[in-house]
Amino acid sequence: MAHIDAGKTTTTERILFYTGKKYKLGNVDDGTATMDWMDQEKERGITITSAATTCFWRKHRINIIDTPGHVDFTVEVERSLRVLDGAIAVFDAQAGVEPQSETVWRQANKYHVPRIAFINKMDKTGADFNAAVQSMVDRLFANPVPLQIPIGAESEFDGVIDLVKMKAIRWYDPDGTEYGYEEIPDELLERAEEAHEDLITHVAEFDEEIMELYLAGEPIPEERLKKAIRKGTLANQIVPVLCGSAFKNRGVQPLLDAIVDYLPAPTDLPPVKGIDPDTQEEIDVRPDENDPFVGMAFKIMVDPHVGKVTFVRVYSGSLTKGSYVVNCNKGIKERVSRLLFMHANQREEIDYIRAGDIVAMVGMKNTMTGETIVADGTRKVLLEKIEFPEPVISIAIEAASKNELPKLSKALQALTEEDPSLKTFVDPETNETILSGMGELHLEVVVERIKREFNVNLRVGHPQVSYRETVKQEATAEGKYIRQSGGRGQYGHVVLKIEPSKDGISFEDKTAGGVIPKEFISAIEAGVKEAALSGVLAGYPMVNLKISLLDGSYHEVDSSEMAFKIAASMAFRDACRKAKPTLLEPIMSVELTSPEEYLGDLIADLNSRRARIEGFENKAGLRIVKAHVPLSELFGYATVVRSLSQGRATHVIQFSHYAEVPEKVAEKILGS
Ligand SMILES: Nc1nc2c(ncn2[C@@H]2O[C@H](COP(=O)(O)OP(=O)(O)OP(=O)(O)O)[C@@H](O)[C@H]2O)c(=O)[nH]1
């Protein structure tokens, strides 16, 4: 995981090369990287989807997911961190911690994922190992502990010093396959000894035995030190730091050693908590092959050769191909016809999987990302869902001719199944198909895929902001849906209160004494939630509402779920109109990095975009500006930054929060 361009894909490629899964070195720059298999990834030189792959090192199986660095594809990072047990955070030795690394670091914190840091690009001009490590402290509040220091930097970079073994490691051929341990060069001995002592004092903070040995001035055996580093890493108390240059084939084998030595095996982890969907009781899901099978689907992909595959992390038990599983979220049975290990763009058929594996399943039809599957006939378990952010930006698309409509709908179904941050719907007013996603690049990539992979000619509108609606005060309203025109009538009657809340939409039944029979309450809730999908101001989805059902009445014969649903929707819309409805817009956090001389112009420009400047920082001779800016003001921003700074400023935009649209601006949006 890392910021865009830190070198994740290059590092992963090297790992595949040295572990023997690939016989030729692939490069991102000439489009031969195996991990970036989608055409657009090769053309754009970025990772878009995260491919899962398996390799072996020192008799350990390592499952790797190479994640994208661009903010528009954070869902890939989110789901990968949700199912992986450890992470390598790759940093650029010259740039240090960059904005997107902060985001992924927070995501890894959320899932308590132990990490190792790899300071890559030690060969690059301006590479500075110590500054990069310090930036982990300053910007990530991490506790980095170097296990290596570099020998030289920039074009002089020539290997690393292993502070655990207290040896130098040097590589002897351009491919980096031959390497060996040597004595530490004299001129670096003093620095290495200081760094070694630093390592020990760090580890001694949480390992008493090492503290005692250290205080007594006794040598600490290598194995003992490694054990302590492993303990600290697993407990997320320290982050071991290594360095190298993936591009120049230096430093990757020790990184593989560190994965084996310091990152957890599935069996090192505490049981995962699940719940029984029927009784809501908590269940411990243990990483034990002999327990019943429990797995989580975390990615759906259409593989060009095998068709639809579902990537599953196995948390417990084992499964053979051809077995039936039960999807506990949907209560349906699915058959797993084939099991595959994916090696980037190749696949290996297997018969049997077990706890800890990450595997591609073929045959499941209805299981979606984030759903739990168990072996048929065993206890049901629900694992915690994966959270995905809401899309903030939309475009209208249209098939160029009617004949292409079936292909378009097939494309949309496949792509939304694959990508939970992509939403699509038909605008009832204009009849246009709307695609909503995380950013301009995200939607651009999706549109290209529809054109190329599904062969649909498309007309594409301009990007639009996904607004939301909410209310500013409390209001109560009544909804009656009563029809008595011969035969069986309709009778639904509810009184609802709505009020602003912090997030989401919640519904509570506050009626007592059966004024409305239980079986209609869920129809009322469904009616309210459906109505909330399009707000009363301009039809945008409503958020941040608490809805209470206060009162109502029913009719012995005429009441039906449908009648209550309609009554609820009427009451809800009426209450919203009374409760000061208001428009919300997505606010993005923008981080600009620029040489001082362009700062004035860039800030003046930001101010013209309703920006709120949050602060300034200095880093490596550059100025960093942090600001909050409404998304509607940011279309085409990249071009402006480029021209105002002669291409020398860079920026990162990511979603921050929703905020009320100022009245003047809202009038314009609603009037249009
Ligand atoms: N000098 C130098 N360049 C490197 C090194 N590693 C990677 N690069 C270059 O940095 C660029 C980005 O590398 P990638 O491996 O695509 O980076 P990434 O982190 O996977 O990028 P995204 O997937 O798009 O987020 C490419 O041009 C690489 O050749 C390195 O060790 N030294």
Side-chain angles (χ1 to χ4, degrees):
M1 55 179 219
H3 189 79
I4 192 159
D5 276 356
K8 298 173 293 294
T9 305
T10 309
T11 307
T12 313
E13 288 295 319
R14 299 310 187 255
I15 289 179
L16 295 185
F17 178 71
Y18 298 122
T19 55
K21 274 290 163 205
K22 273 191 73 215
Y23 303 102
K24 201 170 148 282
L25 282 173
N27 270 327
V28 181
D29 308 280
D30 56 18
T32 56
T34 353
M35 294 302 287
D36 284 350
W37 56 271
M38 195 194 284
D39 281 348
Q40 288 197 63
E41 298 187 311
K42 294 192 171 152
E43 287 163 21
R44 294 174 193 254
I46 57 167
T47 307
I48 295 168
T49 56
S50 20
T53 189
T54 295
C55 64
F56 286 88
W57 188 251
R58 284 173 34 197
K59 296 193 177 151
H60 289 70
R61 173 183 293 146
I62 305 175
N63 295 309
I64 308 173
I65 300 184
D66 176 18
T67 59
H70 195 283
V71 285
D72 279 16
F73 308 106
T74 33
V75 296
E76 294 290 340
V77 183
E78 187 81 22
R79 58 172 148 204
S80 304
L81 287 172
R82 169 70 176 75
V83 297
L84 289 183
D85 298 331
I88 313 287
V90 180
F91 299 102
D92 177 321
Q94 179 259 324
V97 172
E98 295 170 271
Q100 183 61 2
S101 349
E102 288 179 40
T103 311
V104 293
W105 197 266
R106 278 198 299 271
Q107 286 172 299
N109 284 346
K110 182 164 98 190
Y111 295 115
H112 309 289
V113 178
R115 296 127 267 184
I116 292 175
F118 183 62
I119 313 280
N120 186 35
K121 302 199 185 182
M122 278 307 304
D123 62 302
K124 190 177 160 189
T125 308
D128 184 338
F129 178 76
N130 291 338
V133 174
Q134 187 57 39
S135 73
M136 290 177 64
V137 179
D138 297 339
R139 301 197 76 174
L140 305 176
F141 310 106
N143 186 13
V145 179
L147 305 187
Q148 294 176 344
I149 51 172
I151 305 178
E154 308 181 325
S155 59
E156 311 275 286
F157 176 62
D158 184 30
V160 301
I161 291 171
D162 178 332
L163 301 171
V164 177
K165 285 193 196 309
M166 285 307 274
K167 292 274 184 209
I169 312 178
R170 281 191 215 267
W171 282 261
Y172 306 125
D173 62 336
D175 272 3
T177 14
E178 284 170 39
Y179 66 105
Y181 287 86
E182 299 176 2
E183 290 311 315
I184 297 173
D186 287 344
E187 67 277 14
L188 283 174
L189 198 56
E190 199 182 317
R191 258 200 68 206
E193 272 164 1
E194 276 172 24
H196 177 71
E197 186 159 329
D198 233 28
L199 163 64
I200 289 174
T201 48
H202 257 101
V203 171
E205 275 170 31
F206 55 84
D207 191 309
E208 265 180 38
E209 198 185 314
I210 292 210
M211 174 69 92
E212 278 164 23
L213 289 171
Y214 172 68
L215 291 178
E218 299 210 15
I220 296 161
E222 185 186 322
E223 285 314 312
R224 186 63 196 78
L225 184 56
K226 277 188 175 169
K227 203 172 135 199
I229 297 169
R230 180 181 183 83
K231 192 169 91 183
T233 311
L234 296 196
N236 267 313
Q237 281 170 312
I238 57 167
V239 179
V241 184
L242 287 80
C243 65
S245 162
F247 184 66
K248 292 275 164 75
N249 309 317
R250 302 290 184 259
V252 177
Q253 296 94 337
L255 178 62
L256 279 160
D257 283 334
I259 295 172
V260 172
D261 289 335
Y262 308 124
L263 288 182
T267 43
D268 286 329
L269 297 168
V272 177
K273 299 276 175 222
I275 55 164
D276 180 324
D278 299 327
T279 61
Q280 303 297 311
E281 253 171 67
E282 209 174 81
I283 298 174
D284 274 349
V285 179
R286 296 180 307 146
D288 186 333
E289 210 174 325
N290 301 314
D291 276 6
F293 172 83
V294 180
M296 168 171 263
F298 66 94
K299 188 177 170 73
I300 314 266
M301 211 172 81
V302 179
D303 182 281
H305 301 279
V306 208
K308 182 168 151 182
V309 295
T310 312
F311 280 90
V312 171
R313 157 77 202 244
V314 184
Y315 282 96
S316 190
S318 64
L319 196 78
T320 47
K321 73 170 179 193
S323 306
Y324 281 92
V325 291
V326 171
N327 173 321
C328 301
N329 299 76
K330 297 206 168 100
I332 50 167
K333 229 191 240 194
E334 298 250 45
R335 182 163 182 267
V336 181
S337 54
R338 291 163 71 189
L339 296 169
L340 304 168
F341 276 143
M342 303 295 252
H343 304 294
N345 57 354
Q346 296 152 13
R347 29 205 90 64
E348 175 194 345
E349 297 273 349
I350 41 172
D351 299 328
Y352 174 83
I353 51 169
R354 60 196 172 128
D357 282 342
I358 285 186
V359 60
M361 296 186 171
V362 183
M364 288 204 286
K365 295 202 170 64
N366 298 308
T367 295
M368 304 292 269
T369 299
E371 294 179 342
T372 311
I373 51 173
V374 300
D376 189 22
T378 59
R379 68 175 180 193
K380 287 202 200 127
V381 182
L382 279 181
L383 298 174
E384 195 191 326
K385 279 220 153 204
I386 310 178
E387 282 172 29
F388 293 113
E390 283 293 312
V392 290
I393 177 170
S394 305
I395 45 169
I397 54 167
E398 194 187 359
S401 71
K402 273 225 160 92
N403 310 345
E404 303 199 79
L405 280 177
K407 278 198 288 180
L408 177 60
S409 77
K410 193 174 152 212
L412 293 178
Q413 189 189 342
L415 292 172
T416 45
E417 258 184 26
E418 235 180 67
D419 179 355
S421 65
L422 179 70
K423 298 265 157 63
T424 157
F425 62 96
V426 175
D427 184 329
E429 278 175 22
T430 60
N431 244 337
E432 287 171 322
T433 301
I434 309 288
L435 272 185
S436 303
M438 303 308 299
E440 283 180 273
L441 179 65
H442 183 205
L443 294 180
E444 221 175 88
V445 166
V446 170
V447 164
E448 275 306 302
R449 290 190 66 190
I450 298 176
K451 290 183 182 167
R452 290 190 203 183
E453 290 171 34
F454 298 88
N455 272 321
V456 188
N457 288 309
L458 276 188
R459 277 196 288 269
V460 180
H462 289 295
Q464 295 159 7
V465 174
S466 295
Y467 292 99
R468 297 279 188 273
E469 295 182 21
T470 189
V471 297
K472 280 166 71 168
Q473 66 184 38
E474 188 182 299
T476 304
E478 191 170 26
K480 277 186 186 161
Y481 184 68
I482 301 171
R483 298 279 179 278
Q484 245 107 30
S485 50
R488 196 183 146 189
Q490 294 283 2
Y491 190 104
H493 170 214
V494 301
V495 179
L496 292 178
K497 181 173 87 176
I498 63 169
E499 56 198 306
S501 81
K502 281 237 154 46
D503 62 339
I505 291 192
S506 61
F507 175 86
E508 197 183 338
D509 171 21
K510 288 193 173 154
T511 57
V515 286
I516 300 172
K518 255 211 166 90
E519 64 260 38
F520 296 130
I521 303 286
S522 54
I524 294 172
E525 181 170 356
V528 165
K529 291 203 166 152
E530 218 166 86
L533 291 177
S534 70
V536 292
L537 282 178
Y540 294 109
M542 301 204 69
V543 292
N544 304 355
L545 291 181
K546 187 175 161 208
I547 304 137
S548 313
L549 174 62
L550 298 182
D551 200 4
S553 61
Y554 73 107
H555 185 280
E556 284 289 354
V557 184
D558 292 348
S559 277
S560 68
E561 287 186 9
M562 181 52 79
F564 271 106
K565 213 168 155 186
I566 297 173
S569 144
M570 288 161 65
F572 175 76
R573 298 187 77 78
D574 195 22
C576 287
R577 274 184 217 106
K578 291 185 195 161
K580 277 210 173 164
T582 176
L583 208 56
L584 301 176
E585 63 180 342
I587 306 289
M588 312 303 278
S589 84
V590 176
E591 188 165 326
L592 257 177
T593 307
S594 168
E596 177 80 44
E597 64 229 74
Y598 307 111
L599 208 63
D601 287 348
L602 288 167
I603 289 177
D605 171 71
L606 274 179
N607 285 335
S608 74
R609 297 173 188 272
R610 294 197 280 132
R612 208 177 70 208
I613 309 282
E614 301 287 314
F616 296 92
E617 272 175 40
N618 295 320
K619 195 167 107 180
L622 295 170
R623 297 276 279 157
I624 298 176
V625 186
K626 293 186 175 179
H628 279 139
V629 190
L631 175 63
S632 60
E633 306 284 341
L634 283 171
F635 292 128
Y637 186 56
T639 321
V640 174
V641 172
R642 220 174 293 134
S643 72
L644 287 180
S645 69
Q646 297 175 11
R648 292 184 55 206
T650 54
H651 71 289
V652 174
I653 297 177
Q654 48 192 317
F655 172 70
S656 167
H657 60 278
Y658 270 94
E660 197 180 330
V661 179
E663 213 167 305
K664 282 251 148 40
V665 184
E667 277 168 18
K668 262 199 212 150
I669 299 167
L670 297 173
S672 63

